[in-house]
Amino acid sequence: MFDLPKYGDGVCLARLAALLDVLAVDRARLSRNSVVVTGSNGKGSTAAFCANIAQAYGLRAGLFTSPHLFRVNERFQLDGTPIGDEPLGQLAARVRAAMTAVSLRPDEKFGAFEAMFALACLYFQESQCEFAVFEAGIGGRYDPVRLIGAHLTAVTSVDYEHVDLLGHSLQMIVSDKSDACATGGTIVYGENCRSLRPHILEYNRNRGVASLFIRDEIRIDGEIASASRPRFDFTSGRYEFPSLEVALLGAFQFNNAAIAITLFLRWLGRASEEKDFARIETAVRSGLHGTRWPGRLEAIAQNPLTVIDVGHTPDGIRQSLASLREIHGALDWILVVGVSLDKKSQEIVGALAPSFDTIICTSARHKGGDAAAVASAARKTNPLADVHVAATVADAFHVSRTLAASLNRKIYVAGGLFTAIEYAAVARGGRAEDLSFF
């Protein structure tokens, strides 16, 4: 859509602010109407939950997420529907023209992610969005979402990712993500941030930022992570919502759903004096139950049962694996695994391989790491496993289907987004070559 590198050169905030000005984006309105979701894992699901609750409440709701899985249109949604090709092309042309009009220093250059963020701001404004959810790309301190000036943000989780940019400790990473929130705002932290609570409270104190934690100020109880009817109880302040049903599978989705509920409740408290508790509860229940978000423990076939997961950090992969075993059972699985070049292959494979006795190692067409190296890591971690090497994801699809038929097994595809999505594309009769990523 934009003939630009994924990220621009230099810190983007000043040039992006100038771009929003040229596009006549009302940043004060953007700040009032928006919440921001940051974090290492769970951002997309959390953002989708939040936008869906707002839509169920009766608001015109925008959702900006990344990455897309099959088409770039997925990144820009209005009331749950991706933008059409024609309006996307028209808005992209306007953003390109505005970028040309913004004079830049010789050492600076716009990136595609910045351009898409600006497009989302323009799209939501011209569509008269009443509520918008923006998912951060990387971190929060220098991410485009910081320009929103949101007073309500979330850090869904923290893990070691993009350490050269965000820092080599969890304290540094959570600090960077926390900086997406405006001074005097409120940040909702996911459950795995609780161990960092003393650092977080002190970090936020001088900016007057309030910190709320899942399972501390926001209670989750009664979790049942079944395949048919996942549900949990939510309590925060005056709000008590028992037995909330969640459409997305995995125990980790309770954390994401609770964050989304809290963001919306806090935003509604700022935006309106209305206290129609029945209407709010109905919206929360409908929003959670109606949210669909592909790629997260998604069953893409039933014969054999084939589940894909796009998790790409070690902690996220461990959580997804635990939920897979809880929902679908621990036995009779074939693992298809591929890891992107820029990810921690040894740690990711180490989190997966011990739980499978049959493993197919492959390499995604986009940014895929060496399949033989993945296989070496799998054999080192699980010497007793039957390890196969498939040069492409299409090859891995055919090998896994053959083995599943002969061994009466289920198939789990994990290790990275590109592996999972290419596998899903092939399973649906498509080709990995037809997918377009950064």
Side-chain angles (χ1 to χ4, degrees), residues 69-70 298 300-301 304-310 334-338 360 362-365 390 392-404 409-414 416-432 435 437:
L69 301 186
F70 297 99
E298 181 186 5
I300 62 169
L305 176 64
T306 305
V307 178
I308 66 168
D309 191 80
V310 298
I334 292 169
L335 171 67
V336 177
V337 59
I360 301 168
T362 190
S363 176
R365 184 174 182 274
T392 68
V393 173
D395 292 339
F397 169 78
H398 295 296
V399 172
S400 65
R401 297 276 295 188
T402 299
L403 288 173
R409 296 290 186 90
K410 301 166 285 190
I411 301 170
Y412 183 49
V413 186
L417 181 143
F418 304 116
T419 300
I421 296 307
E422 288 186 16
Y423 190 101
V426 173
R428 292 164 179 163
R431 304 187 315 154
L435 297 173
F437 301 108

Side-chain angles (χ1 to χ4, degrees), residues 190-252:
E191 183 178 358
N192 97 328
C193 300
R194 294 170 73 203
S195 63
L196 302 170
R197 183 180 178 115
H199 166 79
I200 289 169
L201 292 176
E202 187 58 30
Y203 185 80
N204 288 335
R205 180 175 63 85
N206 288 334
R207 294 196 301 137
V209 170
S211 308
L212 304 176
F213 292 80
I214 300 298
R215 294 198 187 273
D216 290 338
E217 292 81 9
I218 303 147
R219 283 174 43 204
I220 296 178
D221 299 295
E223 302 103 309
I224 299 177
S226 70
S228 59
R229 196 182 161 211
R231 58 194 184 274
F232 71 105
D233 303 331
F234 172 93
T235 305
S236 179
R238 72 188 78 183
Y239 296 100
E240 294 186 15
F241 304 141
S243 197
L244 292 170
E245 293 189 19
V246 181
L248 302 184
L249 299 181
F252 52 88

Side-chain angles (χ1 to χ4, degrees), residues 27 30-32 34 36 145-152 180-182:
R27 289 174 59 191
L30 186 67
S31 175
R32 288 193 305 271
S34 303
V36 165
V145 296
R146 187 170 184 180
L147 289 179
I148 292 171
H151 286 85
L152 286 164
C181 187

Side-chain angles (χ1 to χ4, degrees), residues 83-141:
I83 189 172
D85 290 344
E86 185 175 348
L88 179 60
Q90 292 171 348
L91 289 170
R94 290 170 61 186
V95 172
R96 284 193 207 98
M99 286 190 294
T100 301
V102 176
S103 60
L104 295 177
R105 295 190 296 272
D107 60 340
E108 291 206 2
K109 183 179 181 180
F110 280 109
F113 188 80
E114 298 163 39
M116 287 192 287
F117 170 80
L119 191 154
C121 293
L122 185 60
Y123 180 48
F124 297 157
Q125 176 172 289
E126 297 194 346
S127 301
Q128 297 298 306
C129 253
E130 299 165 284
F131 180 82
V133 186
F134 286 83
E135 178 187 347
I138 295 179
R141 182 173 300 158

Side-chain angles (χ1 to χ4, degrees), residues 167-363:
H168 291 265
S169 72
L170 293 180
Q171 288 85 354
M172 294 178 72
I173 293 170
V174 79
S175 299
D176 190 294
K177 295 178 186 297
S178 297
D179 281 352
C181 187
T183 298
T186 298
I187 305 175
V188 184
Y189 290 93
E191 183 178 358
N192 97 328
C193 300
R194 294 170 73 203
S195 63
L196 302 170
R197 183 180 178 115
H199 166 79
I200 289 169
L201 292 176
E202 187 58 30
Y203 185 80
N204 288 335
R205 180 175 63 85
N206 288 334
R207 294 196 301 137
V209 170
S211 308
L212 304 176
F213 292 80
I214 300 298
R215 294 198 187 273
D216 290 338
E217 292 81 9
I218 303 147
R219 283 174 43 204
I220 296 178
D221 299 295
E223 302 103 309
I224 299 177
S226 70
S228 59
R229 196 182 161 211
R231 58 194 184 274
F232 71 105
D233 303 331
F234 172 93
T235 305
S236 179
R238 72 188 78 183
Y239 296 100
E240 294 186 15
F241 304 141
S243 197
L244 292 170
E245 293 189 19
V246 181
L248 302 184
L249 299 181
F252 52 88
Q253 295 293 2
F254 300 142
N255 171 82
N256 300 337
I259 293 172
I261 296 167
T262 306
L263 284 175
F264 180 73
L265 293 178
R266 293 273 170 163
W267 178 87
L268 191 62
R270 281 174 170 264
S272 172
E273 295 297 323
E274 180 182 354
K275 294 296 183 290
D276 186 340
F277 292 101
R279 180 186 176 195
I280 293 169
E281 181 172 356
T282 297
V284 168
R285 291 187 181 280
S286 176
L288 296 185
H289 190 261
T291 298
R292 302 293 183 270
W293 202 239
R296 283 69 174 177
L297 284 179
E298 181 186 5
I300 62 169
Q302 292 297 327
N303 185 27
L305 176 64
T306 305
V307 178
I308 66 168
D309 191 80
V310 298
H312 57 275
T313 71
D315 183 60
I317 284 168
R318 283 188 286 267
Q319 289 189 43
S320 293
L321 178 59
S323 290
L324 176 83
R325 294 160 66 92
E326 183 176 6
I327 295 165
H328 296 294
L331 302 177
D332 301 325
W333 288 98
I334 292 169
L335 171 67
V336 177
V337 59
V339 182
S340 293
L341 282 167
D342 57 346
K343 302 301 179 184
K344 295 182 177 180
S345 179
Q346 294 282 343
E347 193 170 351
I348 288 172
V349 175
L352 287 166
S355 297
F356 300 87
D357 61 11
T358 305
I359 302 171
I360 301 168
C361 302
T362 190
S363 176

Side-chain angles (χ1 to χ4, degrees), residues 72-95:
V72 70
N73 308 56
E74 300 164 20
R75 293 173 179 252
F76 317 93
Q77 297 191 27
L78 190 62
D79 289 340
T81 302
I83 189 172
D85 290 344
E86 185 175 348
L88 179 60
Q90 292 171 348
L91 289 170
R94 290 170 61 186
V95 172

